Amino acid sequence: MAEINEQNDLYPSMEEVEGLEEAVLDKEEDALEKEEDQEDAVDGIGDLGRSRRRSRRRARRSRRRSSRRRSVRRSYNAGARSTAVKTGLTKNLTSKGQFELRRQQLPAEIQKALKDARMQTVDAAIYTVKSIKDKSDIDLMEASDDKKSGRTNLNRAQLDSGKYFLLTDVVLEYAHGASEEDVDPADFAFGQFALPPQILNGTFEMTLGTKVIMPEISCAVFDDTDTTKRKFQYKLANPKWLKPSMDITPKLNMPKAINNGDKVFNPAVKVTLLGTITEKA
């Protein structure tokens, strides 16, 4: 299997940055021209006067564009060597934007298939539901898993051949039944229950084969106190590639198990991996 090179530079090209700056400049110039046209109308300036002003505006726009381009190139060359600038440019990107930024890290044959439109990128949400009753350490995805609605949409805890998934967010949700007869987690309302202390005080980790995708982190990162994002969601500051035909192993480790108790029966968790994946076009 071709390897992904995660050491490639993530800095956007000079052309991309220039294009953004010129778009901003055009917006500024359009606003100025609108204001000046309104002033011309109020002042009663005739067509000849307006034509001369428009010529001066075009010359001004050309000079500003050249000056802005020189300034951008100087800033770009300085920023290309700055880790802080790179981080600032990438932190607010969508999952699709993060994927495009890292496209050159993919195997050459995948890059070519995307370029030739034989493959495309689509939003993806890989999920699995697991019972955690009487368990303190749980493998949330396992080789024995098969696709089944309400349980998981991944076979054998692996991506299919040829599919590459850029993981940008992880969601961890909790639910339980209202009675001992509620035994099927597919019937539970995940996302409606607050995470219990056993989970919040536990840890979450994830590997791809033997490679660490997320080291042991506190499950407190999934707390839902931040109302600006989806509940129980953790956004990776360092998105990671999941490659095909390799075991994806997220794990939940709790200080103690959750047992059937007062109004809590057959507890379960749902983990959802969000990101962008390659698919046939």
Side-chain angles (χ1 to χ4, degrees):
M1 181 190 306
E3 286 299 314
I4 289 176
N5 180 10
E6 294 188 355
Q7 301 305 315
N8 282 8
D9 194 1
L10 298 183
Y11 203 53
S13 68
M14 175 79 78
E15 290 75 15
E16 290 172 318
V17 176
E18 282 185 347
L20 289 173
E21 285 295 325
E22 289 180 2
V24 172
L25 178 61
D26 286 340
K27 187 175 180 180
E28 292 172 356
E29 288 288 347
D30 290 342
L32 284 172
E33 288 185 9
K34 185 177 180 179
E35 290 179 3
E36 290 174 353
D37 283 339
Q38 291 172 342
E39 291 174 358
D40 289 349
V42 171
D43 294 341
I45 296 176
D47 291 341
L48 179 59
R50 292 185 183 185
S51 177
R52 289 174 176 170
R53 284 198 172 195
R54 290 192 182 103
S55 295
R56 290 197 295 272
R57 290 171 190 165
R58 285 194 294 269
R60 178 189 66 196
R61 180 177 290 215
S62 179
R63 289 194 300 272
R64 288 191 69 196
R65 187 180 293 272
S66 296
S67 176
R68 184 74 65 93
R69 186 177 290 115
R70 289 193 297 271
S71 176
V72 165
R73 288 178 178 174
R74 286 195 298 268
S75 299
Y76 179 93
N77 290 330
R81 297 184 293 272
S82 168
T83 300
V85 170
K86 294 178 187 180
T87 302
L89 285 170
T90 61
K91 67 178 181 180
N92 292 320
L93 288 179
T94 62
S95 175
K96 168 69 172 176
Q98 294 282 8
F99 186 100
E100 291 301 325
L101 201 60
R102 292 165 171 79
R103 181 192 284 245
Q104 76 277 11
Q105 297 174 348
L106 289 166
E109 65 272 16
I110 301 297
Q111 292 187 53
K112 188 174 190 311
L114 288 168
K115 182 178 180 181
D116 297 342
R118 289 181 286 110
M119 296 190 78
Q120 61 175 326
T121 56
V122 297
D123 294 340
I126 297 170
Y127 78 93
T128 186
V129 172
K130 290 286 184 180
S131 169
I132 60 172
K133 178 187 173 185
D134 300 327
K135 301 175 183 176
S136 58
D137 300 311
I138 306 101
D139 287 342
L140 300 176
M141 292 183 180
E142 300 177 279
S144 58
D145 292 343
D146 291 316
K147 285 184 182 180
K148 183 179 180 182
S149 183
R151 292 288 186 171
T152 184
N153 59 350
L154 195 67
N155 276 325
R156 302 177 305 280
Q158 294 184 354
L159 297 177
D160 293 338
S161 177
K163 292 188 178 182
Y164 287 80
F165 178 83
L166 185 67
L167 174 67
T168 57
D169 301 80
V170 179
V171 180
L172 183 66
E173 297 168 304
Y174 167 78
H176 60 77
S179 69
E180 290 193 27
E181 288 69 37
D182 294 332
V183 296
D184 188 356
D187 296 330
F188 295 171
F190 289 95
Q192 305 302 312
F193 294 78
L195 297 178
Q198 294 94 326
I199 291 179
L200 285 177
N201 294 328
T203 61
F204 180 91
E205 60 184 298
M206 184 172 170
T207 58
L208 178 71
T210 59
K211 180 179 180 180
V212 174
I213 298 298
M214 294 174 63
E216 268 194 329
I217 59 172
S218 169
C219 286
V221 299
F222 297 107
D223 197 3
D224 66 340
T225 53
D226 186 352
T227 59
T228 65
K229 64 179 185 180
R230 173 176 170 172
K231 285 186 174 183
F232 314 113
Q233 177 176 347
Y234 174 66
K235 178 175 287 294
L236 277 67
N238 185 16
K240 288 294 184 180
W241 289 106
L242 303 184
K243 297 185 287 186
S245 305
M246 296 186 69
D247 291 339
I248 303 169
T249 312
K251 294 183 178 182
L252 174 64
N253 305 302
M254 300 185 295
K256 65 178 182 178
I258 303 174
N259 304 310
N260 279 356
D262 184 29
K263 297 182 180 180
V264 175
F265 300 95
N266 304 310
V269 295
K270 178 179 182 180
V271 62
T272 305
L273 310 180
L274 301 175
T276 299
I277 197 170
T278 56
E279 284 282 356
K280 290 182 178 179

